[in-house]
Amino acid sequence: MCQSPFHPLLASLPKCEHHMHLEGSLSPSLLENLAHRNSVSLPSPDEDPAFASPSALTDRYARFTSLDDFLRYYFIGMSALIHAEDFEALAWEYFVRAHADGVVHAEVFFDPQAHTSRGIKYETVVDGFAAACRRAEKELSISTKLILCFLRHLPVSDAVSAFGIAKDDLTTGRLSGIGLDSSEKGFPPGAWKGIYDEAKASNIKRTAHAGEEGPVEYIREALETLDIERIDHGLRLADDKTLMREVARRKILVTLCPLSNVWLHCVNSVAELPIRTFLQEGVHFSLNSDDPAYFGGHYILDNWCAVQEAFSLTVDEWKSIASAGITGSWCEASRKEVMLSKLEDVVDAHKKLQ
């Protein structure tokens, strides 16, 4: 646990999570349970010693060498998700943990193509995740949004089909927006322009992963070609000061994932992240857990604590970060007002840290 005197403040601050893949919250223990329940054969220990036990799999997750190395295990894990109740159990496990970390609003990603490609119906996936969202709102008072992501390692035509299937849910608000994830290198975002143009014409919210392993040019391309309203990761944004200042001027939210970036060797330590630069330049950003079950079991509070340990931020700086997360969320203004009010109460209660 974080030993900083700021830990009580960090634990109490109302948090909005904007960058968390529901499939990335599949813990090894839940994976084992679902595989057993659904008679799904995972790799044998002879094929991959990591599958000898949940603890062995957890140990293997600590040795990812790259984004693609992680994605191999990420897609293996999905094979155990078959029924709507499996998807609900997965999302509910995340929401319970997020609630314990102080999350009051969660805008979570899911990858329908990874499921429909193996014969799982789109409706099965969404029904399960939507059920967990309703339960989180009722039992945990967490407001939620579901964001459909396209897998950039698959043909664009496959994404076009996925978008067509989900279009009604996107226009009615059952789903809150689209995103672009999976392998970044070699897959510049402009290829998905047609989908994003159609989404914009239908007033559908748009985000995309850019500048994680890919260069800052991918961020510019996503902004200019896809006209995204949010930047996921955006780690390389500081490499282009002109672009960074434009992002700050437009108050475009950047969804940073500190411990994920370390886990996947995008940076050597949290201290290398452009947190201080973003604060000085007025870039709006949030701090998120990405794929917590695969990255050391580090959920959102662990990420906030890691940032505090690396940068020794002030109360006002934490208030600024939490406020940016709230105002940059895709929820209703009335919900933002409630969260901002809670933020003021928490900051007032920790004035002694000033």
Side-chain angles (χ1 to χ4, degrees), residues 89 92 94-95 106 118 144 154 156 166 168 176 187 189 236 250 254 289 304 326:
W92 178 248
Y94 160 71
F95 287 130
R118 54 190 181 86
T144 65
L154 295 180
V156 174
D168 284 348
S176 297
F187 299 97
R236 305 302 171 197
R250 293 172 57 188
V254 179
S289 61
W304 288 44
I326 293 170

Side-chain angles (χ1 to χ4, degrees), residues 297-313:
H298 294 304
Y299 285 76
I300 192 168
L301 181 56
D302 292 330
N303 281 269
W304 288 44
C305 289
V307 167
Q308 178 59 20
E309 290 170 352
F311 294 97
S312 299
L313 302 182

Side-chain angles (χ1 to χ4, degrees), residues 271-312:
E272 294 182 12
L273 294 169
I275 300 288
R276 184 66 65 189
T277 299
F278 283 1
L279 286 169
Q280 291 171 345
E281 295 293 338
V283 174
H284 287 212
F285 64 91
S286 61
L287 301 171
N288 307 273
S289 61
D290 201 3
D291 299 281
Y294 292 87
F295 302 149
H298 294 304
Y299 285 76
I300 192 168
L301 181 56
D302 292 330
N303 281 269
W304 288 44
C305 289
V307 167
Q308 178 59 20
E309 290 170 352
F311 294 97
S312 299

Side-chain angles (χ1 to χ4, degrees), residues 30-60:
L30 181 58
L31 170 59
E32 183 180 61
N33 291 341
L34 291 176
H36 176 75
R37 185 169 81 188
N38 294 327
S39 299
V40 171
S41 296
L42 298 174
S44 71
D46 290 338
E47 296 173 292
D48 187 339
F51 288 92
S53 67
S55 60
L57 195 56
T58 299
D59 289 343
R60 175 60 179 84

Side-chain angles (χ1 to χ4, degrees), residues 154-225:
L154 295 180
V156 174
S157 59
D158 197 80
V160 171
S161 297
F163 182 63
I165 293 170
K167 187 74 177 291
D168 284 348
D169 284 342
L170 286 161
T171 53
T172 61
R174 190 181 190 208
L175 303 182
S176 297
I178 61 171
L180 186 64
D181 63 7
S182 187
S183 303
E184 185 180 12
K185 285 184 177 178
F187 299 97
W192 286 263
K193 174 177 168 54
I195 295 174
Y196 276 72
D197 284 350
E198 186 176 346
K200 181 181 179 181
S202 299
N203 293 315
I204 296 168
K205 295 286 190 182
R206 305 166 307 284
T207 186
H209 286 42
E212 178 188 14
E213 287 193 327
V216 68
E217 287 77 16
Y218 280 18
I219 301 176
R220 182 179 291 281
E221 184 173 329
L223 287 166
E224 295 180 352
T225 305

